[in-house]
Amino acid sequence: MSRRISWRKASTEAQLLLVGIPVLLWTLIPVYHLFLFAISPKDTATSGRLWPEHPTLQNFRTVFYQEHFYLNHFWHQLFNSVAIALTVAVLTLFIATCAAFAISRMKLPGGRTVMNLALFTYFIPAAFLAVPMYKTMSVYGMLNNQWALILAMVTIASPYCIWVLKQASDKLPWELDEAARIDGASPLQLFRLVYLPLMVPSLVAVGTYALLLAWNEYLYAFLLLSKDTDITLAVALGNFLSADDSPWELLMATGFIYALPPAAIYYTFKRYMVSGLTAGAVKS
Amino acid sequence: MTTDTLAVEPPRAARKPLSQWVFWGRAMVLPYVLVFLVFVLFPVCYGLWLARHPASYQKLFDDPIFFRTAINTVVFIIVAINVKMAVALGLSAFFVQKRWWISVLAAIFIIPWAVPSIPTILSVRFMLNPEWGVINTLIFKLTGLDGPNWLNDPTLALSFSMLMHIWKSLPFWTLILVAGRLAIPGEQYEAASVDGATRWQKFRFITWPAMKGLYLTSTILSMIWTLGDFNSVYLLTGGGPADLTHVLATLGIRYLRLDQVDLSMAAIVVSLPLVLPLVYFMMKRLSK
């Protein structure tokens, strides 16, 4: 009897492994290929070996010292990516928090309409808005200006942030607001002293979301910016494709560097991100 | 609903404080309303205005690339999304199992979603390179034959774009469906086991009824988002070979490059009858 149970147990474990191993390979192969390229010398990168014969950090050195035509502005572009992502996160947080507070806690007349406008924007596929946004920025005279990208990303990020923050706000107990109002708190005091401290977890989730969205963005960045010293690292990576004889090992090394900060941020704030994002889609 | 009854405004007599609340309410919602007017409403109206000439539509329908793109987009949406959601539903059953190594695997599994798409897409693009890519190198080593020119065949190229899309977004949807599965009370499964239910019966009569709504919402949301997936196609195939693997998201940029903005807007306007019902459905669901 007990042998039969352990046999069944082993078979269950085997079935799980039969799923787990392909999942692991499927997930890691593109990432491992990227990493392998980044640490391989130029000539041996394509040999098809599982581990390079002479692993090297030379590619990273070339990137850091900007010793290639494609990488002449690496540090500048990295700085652009950081500055733009941070500005988008701060602006989005400000706009979305204020809007969510007004809609959810102040019961502003017309707040529901604003929420619906935001939701509608959230559901416009980003690529559909890209061309009109490009033409609009050219009307506003903002093409090749980093503010164009920042404002476009704020536009794309804020609807979802407002929605998540509104959902979270609606769950806060009303007695707190009542008590604060009876004590004669002004709207701003209520916002600063009661609302913001209670909302910290959602604010972290939403801020991280906007930060990563802006850091990862390629389409809008490459439409709205063109000067080598204006573009973000994402666009710089895409520019490697403009020639057939691109130095792929340098592209992979740069791509690896570019992928690390968002991955680190994601795993640091995973707890907040997952609950925020799943709340966003799951609510049914 | 008790919160709503508590939310009643202060009595009308208190005129002055009321106006202060309304003033600040309007002031706080103003930044977003401005963003919406200047960067959503104006571009949308401007885009529709650019697409106002019937001649643009005539030119669009005469362009064989547009026709091909429409088919590609429909295939992409129907095949890629349904395969992805079905696999995600299956994998969610795997990831709810309690094993230490499955928790570790779950953390690894999320990498495609956590890292930016450009480096990984370019990595796959180079794997598929016919001369130096690792796949054809291995084929040559094992068989002595030259592998196919993967991205030079429109069907293969589009299939790889779909696989790329699935690779990138499968973890997210699996995560969503795992959350859905965890919300199902475990007693239901225990009771079913006592009654001798098979695995299929448990899925059919417990899991699926509980997950149906979530699965449908996720599928439609994923369809809308996938229409905006520019990177998986553009960075892998560039729309090539011979512009045969474009989807709506990349076609607009192609027309922009050819200086035919009216066509790129017309292409979007033509797709609205398909997109707007999906958007309406989602708004209904989420604004409840």
Side-chain angles (χ1 to χ4, degrees), chain B residues 85-207:
Chain B
M85 294 312 295
V87 173
L89 184 62
L91 279 182
S92 66
F94 169 76
F95 280 110
V96 292
Q97 304 292 325
K98 287 188 178 54
R99 303 281 188 287
W100 67 267
W101 61 273
I102 290 182
S103 316
V104 175
L105 187 58
I108 296 173
F109 182 61
I110 205 77
I111 290 177
W113 180 255
V115 300
S117 57
I118 309 166
T120 46
I121 293 177
L122 295 180
S123 167
V124 171
R125 182 177 169 132
F126 201 63
M127 280 164 72
L128 297 169
N129 185 296
E131 287 165 66
W132 308 292
V134 65
I135 293 182
N136 279 6
T137 308
L138 287 177
I139 288 180
F140 184 77
K141 270 190 179 168
L142 293 176
T143 66
L145 299 172
D146 284 334
N149 191 346
W150 299 102
L151 296 179
N152 212 20
D153 175 304
T155 312
L156 276 178
L158 191 68
S159 310
F160 276 111
S161 290
M162 291 196 262
L163 279 178
M164 200 68 238
H165 168 83
I166 294 175
W167 184 81
K168 168 80 183 162
S169 58
L170 180 67
F172 174 74
W173 293 111
T174 308
L175 208 69
I176 299 289
L177 295 178
V178 164
R181 268 185 200 264
L182 290 175
I184 303 172
E187 300 92 64
Q188 294 190 9
Y189 290 106
E190 282 157 28
S193 296
V194 171
D195 292 345
T198 64
R199 220 191 274 181
W200 166 250
Q201 283 170 327
K202 282 185 205 164
F203 176 79
R204 172 76 184 72
F205 295 107
I206 302 174
T207 314

Side-chain angles (χ1 to χ4, degrees), chain A:
Chain A
M1 188 66 192
S2 74
R3 186 181 291 166
R4 184 184 271 168
I5 287 173
S6 72
W7 168 243
R8 193 187 255 172
K9 222 173 154 190
S11 128
T12 315
E13 295 303 304
Q15 282 177 20
L16 286 177
L17 276 176
L18 223 53
V19 178
I21 292 168
V23 166
L24 184 70
L25 291 176
W26 157 267
T27 304
L28 281 185
I29 283 176
V31 180
Y32 184 68
H33 181 255
L34 174 81
F35 173 71
L36 202 60
F37 243 87
I39 59 158
S40 294
K42 189 174 175 56
D43 319 320
T44 62
T46 58
S47 65
R49 295 174 63 98
L50 258 182
W51 184 251
E53 242 170 309
H54 307 287
T56 172
L57 292 177
Q58 184 60 40
N59 296 327
F60 290 99
R61 210 193 108 91
T62 312
V63 174
F64 289 143
Y65 286 91
Q66 312 192 123
E67 283 166 349
H68 192 279
F69 166 70
Y70 283 107
L71 296 162
N72 279 340
H73 303 284
F74 170 76
W75 288 107
H76 202 134
Q77 288 156 352
L78 181 67
F79 173 79
N80 290 342
S81 280
V82 173
I84 289 173
L86 283 177
T87 315
V88 170
V90 170
L91 275 179
T92 307
L93 263 181
F94 172 75
I95 290 173
T97 316
C98 287
F101 179 72
I103 296 170
S104 165
R105 306 309 289 188
M106 301 182 75
K107 295 288 171 197
L108 181 74
R112 205 183 158 79
T113 313
V114 176
M115 192 63 248
N116 280 335
L117 293 178
L119 269 181
F120 177 73
T121 312
Y122 179 49
F123 291 129
I124 302 178
F128 281 23
L129 199 60
V131 173
M133 187 72 92
Y134 171 81
K135 294 301 286 179
T136 301
M137 289 300 181
S138 113
V139 169
Y140 296 160
M142 288 176 73
L143 279 187
N144 295 321
N145 180 336
Q146 294 183 337
W147 281 103
L149 178 60
I150 292 170
L151 291 169
M153 294 318 295
V154 169
T155 308
I156 295 171
S158 45
Y160 174 72
C161 298
I162 295 176
W163 192 77
V164 168
L165 292 177
K166 182 192 169 284
Q167 296 293 319
S169 310
D170 286 347
K171 290 191 193 116
L172 298 181
W174 272 98
E175 290 76 6
L176 284 173
D177 295 44
E178 295 293 310
R181 286 186 196 211
I182 288 165
D183 288 349
S186 75
L188 285 188
Q189 283 170 328
L190 179 67
F191 180 66
R192 217 159 37 88
L193 302 174
V194 179
Y195 183 71
L196 285 185
L198 289 172
M199 290 292 286
V200 167
S202 303
L203 294 176
V204 171
V206 157
T208 314
Y209 165 81
L211 186 82
L212 295 187
L213 194 78
W215 175 276
N216 294 349
E217 180 59 27
Y218 175 71
L219 171 59
Y220 280 79
F222 115 106
L223 279 179
L224 297 173
L225 304 173
S226 53
K227 249 175 52 196
D228 272 347
T229 47
D230 282 346
I231 59 176
T232 59
L233 212 47
V235 184
L237 284 170
N239 284 350
F240 273 85
L241 293 175
S242 57
D244 285 336
D245 57 346
S246 296
W248 283 85
E249 69 289 349
L250 296 181
L251 166 60
M252 299 297 176
T254 317
F256 190 76
I257 299 164
Y258 168 71
L260 277 185
I265 291 173
Y266 180 86
Y267 281 102
T268 311
F269 294 115
K270 192 163 166 251
R271 207 157 39 91
Y272 302 99
M273 296 284 292
V274 170
S275 60
L277 282 169
T278 45
V282 169
K283 201 214 170 199
S284 57

